[in-house]
Every structure is written in C-alpha cells, then in structure tokens.
Amino acid sequence: MNIILLNSKRGHSRTFSLPRFLPLIALGVLVALPVLVGVGAYWVSYRVAPPSYTDAVAERFQANLRAQADEVVELKRLSEEQIRALTLKLADAQARLTRLDALGERLVDVAGIDSDEFDFGAELAVGGPEPAESSAFTPPSFMAELDALTNTLERREQQLNILEDLLADRHLENETFLAGRPIVQGWMSSRFGRRTDPFSGKLAWHEGVDFAGKDGSDIVATAAGVVTYAGKRSGYGRLVEINHGNGISTRYGHAKDVLVKVGDIVRTGDVVARMGSSGRSTGPHVHYEVLKNGRQVNPHPYIYRARR
C-alpha cells in the first residue's frame, strides 16, 4: 500500500510505502480494543463491587419461604378448627330446629288450629323470575346449608310469632269470657227480675242475682278484667265493679271486705272481696249484676253457660 503526500507550496509530491498487513493490524486493534475494555470493566466491577447474589441472600430467601410455609400451615389449622366449630353449631342448630318444629306442631294441636295453615314440616312457598345474572357465583355446599338453615329458622320464627298472637288472642278471649258463679261456696237466694222487696214488702224489680253463703267467704271474679270501682255505694254497701271489655261489666255488692282497688287487673277466679251484709241487706250474701253497655241484663245465661 502506498501513501502519496502533495506539497502545494513547492509543487512536488512524496510517496510512502506501507506494509500490506498494516490494515489488518489496524482492523484487529479496532475490534479487540472494545472487547478488552468490556472485559476489564467486568473484572473491575466483580472485584471492587459486592456481588448481588450471595450465600446470605440465598439463606434469607429460604428463611422467608420457610416462614410463609409455616403461615400456610397455621392458616390451614385455624380454618379446619373453624370449620369443625361451624359444623358443630350447624348440627346444634338443626337439633334445635327439630325441637322447635315439634313444639310448633304440639302448639298447633293444642290450639286446635288447622294444620294446613301452620304446617311446620312443609317448605316455605317462595318464587320469582330467574335472575338476570345466571352465571352468579355458587357458594360451597356448607354455606348453602347455613343459608338454608337460616331461611328455615326465619320461617319458623314467623310461624311461631303468628301462632303466639293467635294463642294470646284466644287466651284473652277465654279469660274475658263471662261464665260461672261469683262464689266458691253458697247458694242462689234470689233471682233476677220481679220479686217482693224484703224491706218494703212491695213488688220490685231485682236487677241482679243474690248468692247467700257464710260470712267472710270468697267472692270471685267471673271473668278477667279491670277494676273500675272499689268502695262503698248507696244501696250496694261495699261494691266491686269490673270492666271485662266489649261493653260487659259485673258488680259484686254487700261485701264485708274489698280486696282490690281501682285499676287492678284481675283474672277469672281471683278473689276480689269477702262476703258480708253491708248496705241494704238482710244477711251475708253477694248481689251479682251483669251490665251490658251500662244497663243491667239477666245474669242467668252467663251463670249457667259452660266455661271455655
């Protein structure tokens, strides 16, 4: 290879001859130099800078893996314990539901209610259109059992609440049902209606029924109600008056002692007074009246009818 140099001032040229292998040497230098620089930089960084992966890093990574594995085992143990506890609670709830059904059926039988109206063994009648999202998530069978049990308990609760209301109404109706005599021991000494007045000897209208008996014997309420009068009243002596609702009231006159006060709630058969001869009376007895909408009516139909 020849190199020619030209001199513009003097107007002559000069030629230099180069060896033929010189371009190959230059090319080799240009290729080898970057490789050598890269290898040198790698060697320096490896010797001077600490390596990114060491035995300590590996040990720390393995320790994290072991801790995570222990946490998974503990979570599995806790989950199994919770599932066992839920299973026991589910079994207990099912047993309680069985007893609740038996109680409901017994109450229906005792109350004399049509079993078709309160069938504790039948499924709850429900329905509705299919949801738009038919691909909804389906819970596991255990959760489905819990949901079914919850729905059944809610249905039983509704049925028993309604049954309780019906029984309470029936019990209240039975308690306020007027029937029987206002005494425990004694006899009827004067009937309702026209009679000869024991003081004047003239015909008079008797607005109640008299029951004679032993002085101080019990006078009882013939139905449940609220005491609206308890004290002395002209002609009656010591009087107890009870409001039974639905426009029905009863009066118990000529008592020796009054055992209740206004506002007291009494039940059927409660002792409200002691038999005496207070007021316009010829001897120990109770003057018994039945009032309907404020007017005296014949007590005989109430006295002789059977109690519910």
Side-chain angles (χ1 to χ4, degrees):
M1 175 182 292
N2 296 324
I3 298 175
I4 299 175
L5 298 178
L6 298 177
N7 191 337
S8 58
K9 293 180 179 182
R10 296 181 180 182
H12 63 269
S13 63
R14 190 174 181 181
T15 303
F16 294 95
S17 297
L18 296 178
R20 294 182 177 180
F21 54 85
L22 184 61
L24 297 176
I25 294 174
L27 181 61
V29 171
L30 293 177
V31 172
L33 183 62
V35 174
L36 293 176
V37 171
V39 171
Y42 175 77
W43 183 83
V44 171
S45 64
Y46 180 79
R47 290 295 182 182
V48 178
S52 59
Y53 183 78
T54 62
D55 293 339
V57 174
E59 181 62 27
R60 186 166 59 251
F61 184 73
Q62 291 178 356
N64 291 335
L65 287 180
R66 287 193 297 268
Q68 292 177 359
D70 293 339
E71 291 178 359
V72 170
V73 172
E74 181 66 16
L75 288 175
K76 182 179 179 181
R77 185 185 65 81
L78 292 176
S79 300
E80 290 176 351
E81 289 182 356
Q82 291 178 354
I83 289 176
R84 283 196 296 268
L86 288 174
T87 303
L88 292 175
K89 288 185 178 181
L90 177 61
D92 181 68
Q94 289 174 340
R96 291 174 180 268
L97 179 60
T98 301
R99 292 194 294 270
L100 193 63
D101 287 344
L103 175 62
E105 292 174 359
R106 176 61 179 164
L107 289 176
V108 169
D109 182 60
V110 171
I113 300 175
D114 187 2
S115 60
D116 293 338
E117 184 177 357
F118 287 94
D119 187 359
F120 284 87
E123 294 294 332
L124 183 63
V126 296
E130 183 179 358
E133 297 180 0
S134 58
S135 60
F137 172 71
T138 302
S141 59
F142 185 80
M143 297 304 297
E145 287 291 331
L146 287 179
D147 292 340
L149 182 60
T150 301
N151 294 332
T152 304
L153 286 174
E154 290 177 355
R155 176 165 60 94
R156 295 296 187 271
E157 183 180 8
Q158 293 174 359
Q159 289 177 324
L160 286 178
N161 286 337
I162 296 173
L163 183 58
E164 182 183 9
D165 293 340
L166 290 176
L167 291 177
D169 293 342
R170 183 166 296 182
H171 177 72
L172 180 61
E173 183 181 354
N174 291 336
E175 284 291 320
T176 57
F177 183 76
L178 195 63
R181 306 193 310 171
I183 60 172
V184 178
Q185 295 178 343
W187 65 94
M188 185 180 295
S189 57
S190 180
R191 293 180 175 273
F192 175 84
R194 193 179 299 276
R195 71 170 183 175
T196 301
D197 187 273
F199 292 94
S200 66
K202 299 179 181 180
L203 289 177
W205 187 261
H206 190 216
E207 296 178 333
V209 175
D210 292 338
F211 289 92
K214 184 179 179 180
D215 185 62
S217 59
D218 293 341
I219 299 174
V220 298
T222 53
V226 180
V227 177
T228 56
Y229 191 92
K232 291 184 178 180
R233 181 178 290 186
S234 176
Y236 289 95
R238 293 183 180 88
L239 172 71
V240 174
E241 183 171 335
I242 302 174
N243 188 325
H244 306 286
N246 297 323
I248 302 294
S249 299
T250 53
R251 289 176 179 171
Y252 311 80
H254 307 301
K256 180 179 182 178
D257 297 305
V258 173
L259 306 180
V260 294
K261 62 182 182 298
V262 174
D264 284 351
I265 298 175
V266 296
R267 297 173 297 178
T268 302
D270 284 354
V271 179
V272 297
R274 305 294 184 189
M275 187 179 293
S277 187
S278 61
R280 193 170 182 267
S281 171
T282 60
H285 75 288
V286 56
H287 174 78
Y288 178 63
E289 291 182 5
V290 176
L291 295 87
K292 192 171 184 179
N293 296 324
R295 299 182 61 181
Q296 288 89 347
V297 297
N298 188 354
H300 289 280
Y302 299 98
I303 294 172
Y304 293 111
R305 69 178 175 177
R307 182 169 297 281
R308 292 178 180 176

